[in-house]
Amino acid sequence: MKIVITGGAGFIGCNFVRKMLDTRPDSEIVVLDKLTYAGRKENLADVSDRISFIKGDICSKEDVARIGDCDLLFNFAAETHVDRSITDAGVFVRTDVIGTHTLLEHAQNHEVSRFVQVSTDEVYGSIRIGFSREGDPMSPSSPYSASKSGAEMLVQAYHTTYGLDTIITRSSNNFGPYQYPEKLIPVLILRAMQNQSLPIYGNGLNVRDWIYVMDNCDGIACAAEKGKNGGIYNIGGGNERTNLEIARTILQILGKPETLIRFVEDRPGHDLRYALDCSRMRELGWKPHYPFMDAIKQTCAWYAKNREWYSPLLAAV
């Protein structure tokens, strides 16, 4: 089997590459990645001899053509950081929407057996009570979540119009090894390790459901293998925490004082809460395996042990 993973040098993508190498050792794994600031070949250094790597842009038909025929195509490639989407929405529309369209055209023309679009719970928008279900309307708040919603609609259209076999996964907030230090948890870990202040938006009471990246990778693999053609699947960790709770937990693990917490001006359009109903995934036999506290401790330890990996990135923190 030939498996193509776009964005495979990024955070979730590189962990998914390792998942595929472990569970499908006889498959040919091809990674297509543009190697932007968050996609780094260093993320695949330990497995580089076991994969084929193509440096390319998913928006380029010529680059995408280089992947050729394949059985499974997983699209992890995306611009993902909400803050960046607020200051430069155009690049998100280009990569997340136009790039997905380019991949869908390739999948249709090369008879790809299954196209898996990796998306986000942010397409639902903020939810004060209850849990978002796959049939709920999308209500994106940021240019980032709007671009991911647009990409999903294209995937669904190619399924309905052309009969392309598709799966969409919507995951909650990921954390774990290799996450670029612009997202909340790696920023807080690295700043705390250096005794720097921990910036928290607003009052810190915005709630996210956190999932360890390997649990998400397991869920994506499960949906790809067992999911219904055209299906959409929520993948959440069931770990609702406020941003302030996350900061306090990291400080406790690292033995740092809470006086490092600093509240800053809130982000425009900052959603209050995301939470997912994952019943469909549980019907497929999936459930998260990593307890939150164990996973966050493992993540802190990973960054502490991998200074060579994060040192060139400290300017971003």
Side-chain angles (χ1 to χ4, degrees), residues 2 9 45 90 125 136 142 149 174 232-233 243 269 293 302:
K2 181 178 178 180
D136 292 346
S142 68
S149 299
N174 280 236
I232 302 173
Y233 296 90
N243 291 344
M293 283 304 300
W302 186 88

Side-chain angles (χ1 to χ4, degrees), residues 1-5 17 19-30 50-52 71-72 74:
M1 177 174 286
K2 181 178 178 180
I3 301 172
V4 171
I5 302 171
V17 168
K19 167 72 178 178
M20 290 293 96
L21 289 171
D22 288 343
T23 59
R24 296 176 180 262
D26 296 328
S27 295
E28 177 187 359
I29 307 298
V30 178
R50 301 173 62 193
I51 64 173
S52 299
D71 299 287
L72 290 172
F74 293 87

